[in-house]
Amino acid sequence: MKSETILVLALATSWLFLSGCFPPSKTSPTAQSNAVEQPVQKESAMTNKVIKSAEEWEKSLTPEQFKVTRKKGTERAFSGDYWNTKEAGIYRCVCCDNELFGSETKFDSGTGWPSFWTPISEGKVKSESDNTLFMKRTEVLCERCDAHLGHVFEDGPKPTGLRYCINSASLKFVKK
């Protein structure tokens, strides 16, 4: 009887893991929000992930940057540094310096946040479902460090029809 119970538990656990009910790695947003923080890990050049504890992020970011990028906050509309920037350059992740968006894809959405119709290249950002605040939205995260950047909506201009609505606090702008 004990061996049957162990087998059933092992099969159920495997099914839950394969179906995505358990986070696949310690770098997922779910794992990062746990009370026990992971130590700083230097990743291989192949994965290029940046992993720090909440305390380390808090020391390296301003309070507003920490609130937005690590706690999934949102800055007030029309309050950020880059919502009205029109200069040529690259918008990088404030946490890990990953190139995220180019100025040539930035447009004025009238929302008060920097808006882009596409990331600078494939694999620089990732998206996850966000059902907070009684809404269904798509959250945008930095692929390299899992920083919360903002949200993407399907009401943008051609050619993609997307509007990446990004918090200025999650970005740093480097002029060309």
Side-chain angles (χ1 to χ4, degrees), residues 81-146:
D81 291 339
Y82 306 124
W83 72 270
N84 201 26
T85 299
K86 300 189 184 342
E87 296 177 86
I90 296 175
Y91 293 86
R92 302 175 83 92
C93 177
V94 74
C95 295
C96 71
D97 206 37
N98 189 18
E99 290 185 349
L100 301 172
F101 300 95
S103 59
E104 64 279 357
T105 66
K106 188 173 187 288
F107 68 98
D108 185 1
S109 65
T111 62
W113 289 279
S115 297
F116 306 86
W117 51 267
T118 193
I120 198 161
S121 64
E122 193 173 319
K124 294 294 186 168
V125 300
K126 63 182 181 177
S127 60
E128 292 185 357
S129 180
D130 177 2
N131 298 315
T132 59
L133 303 175
F134 307 104
M135 293 184 271
K136 184 174 181 170
R137 300 179 293 175
T138 303
E139 178 185 14
V140 179
L141 301 143
C142 175
E143 179 65 38
R144 189 168 178 218
C145 70
D146 294 325

Side-chain angles (χ1 to χ4, degrees), residues 27-40:
T27 60
S28 71
T30 303
Q32 285 185 350
S33 65
N34 291 343
V36 178
E37 294 292 336
Q38 299 299 318
V40 174

Side-chain angles (χ1 to χ4, degrees), residues 54 57-58 61-71:
W57 284 122
E58 201 165 12
L61 301 168
T62 69
E64 179 76 358
Q65 290 168 337
F66 181 77
K67 181 186 90 173
V68 169
T69 62
R70 308 325 303 179
K71 298 294 186 182

Side-chain angles (χ1 to χ4, degrees), residues 62 74 76 89 119 135 152:
T62 69
T74 301
R76 285 186 349 266
M135 293 184 271
V152 62

